[in-house]
Amino acid sequence: MTRTIASAKLDIAPSSVYYIPDFITHAEEQTLIDKVLTAPKPKWVHLKNRRLQNWGGIVSDRGMIGEPLPIWLSYLFPRFREARVFEGIDAFHQDPNHCLVNEYLAGQGIMPHKDGPAYLPTVSTVTLSSHCVLEFYKYPEDKEQEERDSTTEETRTQEPEFSLLVQPRSLLVLKEDVYKKYMHGIREITEDDLRTGNILNLPEAMPQGIEETPVLKRGTRISLTFRIVQKTLSAKKLFLRR
Ligand SMILES: O=C(O)CCC(=O)C(=O)O
Ligand SMILES: [Fe+2]
């Protein structure tokens, strides 16, 4: 039986964080890794500090021209439903319609950012292959836009307000406050010292304690980030409009 996210809510502020260890099995993890790594070459977008695959459609300001997620990704939908990940967030979507696959080699990461208004405020991330520490920075609501834009640069040198350790096969769900009021990022380092960074879910992610292994070496991590893009356009409609 899959646990519901309600039973996996972290008892922390902001309270909209849910963490389920071993959400998928080792065998499922391996299948997903194989599918990611055997995707057609042009599917990969290479960035400076990670590479990614975009599934479900390209998200733009005008909306997303949606295409169904491949079966190896929609395979997880019943699991998300059982865990009630996307339940009640929108009358029109029961399942996610978009998935970003990110691959980070050890030492790679992602700058602190917000995911923005194109998505509904529920992000569901399945982690494969290696752990990582996701860091959170308060978003400066009171600053002018210009200052906010420079914040991502500043936050790189700041200490995060809190962090989360995400282990292979886990599910991390971020909703509401933590989605809207915080930026998240992954530092470009090759190992994580679990004694620093104010990691709030250590009891859940390291139930054996951190005395024996206070420092975790990173391997290559693949993350599957499922979201709902609210505004979708059908390719047919776009074509007829011309
Ligand atoms: O890899 C992750 O867990 C985070 C990815 C992320 O923040 C994003 O794609 O917006
Ligand atoms: Fe993000």
Side-chain angles (χ1 to χ4, degrees), residues 38-195:
T38 55
K41 267 227 167 76
K43 211 48 208 174
W44 285 108
V45 176
H46 293 261
L47 304 180
K48 197 172 83 173
N49 49 3
R50 65 194 157 106
R51 59 175 186 163
L52 60 88
Q53 294 172 11
N54 186 84
W55 296 96
I58 302 293
V59 183
S60 77
D61 289 346
R62 292 176 61 202
M64 178 176 79
I65 302 172
E67 53 194 30
L69 291 179
I71 288 167
W72 58 273
L73 287 172
S74 57
Y75 165 85
L76 289 169
F77 290 0
R79 208 66 70 75
F80 291 146
R81 286 194 189 196
E82 272 181 61
R84 303 189 167 174
V85 175
F86 293 96
E87 194 172 281
I89 66 163
D90 177 54
F92 304 101
H93 302 94
Q94 294 205 50
D95 298 313
N97 57 8
H98 190 262
C99 180
L100 207 59
V101 176
N102 281 298
E103 184 199 64
Y104 310 84
L105 307 178
Q108 295 190 319
I110 187 167
M111 282 247 292
H113 65 279
K114 278 178 94 178
D115 287 352
Y119 307 102
L120 289 175
T122 291
V123 189
S124 180
T125 303
V126 175
T127 288
L128 311 173
S129 235
S130 175
H131 80 281
C132 90
V133 171
L134 208 57
E135 300 183 318
F136 292 82
Y137 303 85
K138 190 94 178 153
Y139 191 66
E141 302 283 354
D142 51 338
K143 287 196 185 169
E144 296 298 322
Q145 188 59 46
E146 238 173 80
E147 275 185 83
R148 286 187 195 173
D149 289 344
S150 65
T151 307
T152 36
E153 283 296 333
E154 278 171 31
T155 44
R156 275 182 138 175
T157 52
Q158 272 174 23
E159 279 304 301
E161 189 168 309
F162 67 93
S163 309
L164 297 168
L165 171 61
V166 282
Q167 294 278 25
R169 297 173 299 287
S170 69
L171 177 75
L172 176 71
V173 180
L174 305 176
K175 282 178 182 270
E176 300 302 333
D177 270 13
V178 79
Y179 185 91
K180 292 180 191 157
K181 298 189 180 156
Y182 285 81
M183 294 190 291
H184 53 276
I186 300 168
R187 218 175 277 250
E188 297 183 340
I189 50 181
T190 53
E191 53 184 38
D192 293 287
D193 186 337
L194 304 180
R195 294 162 297 196

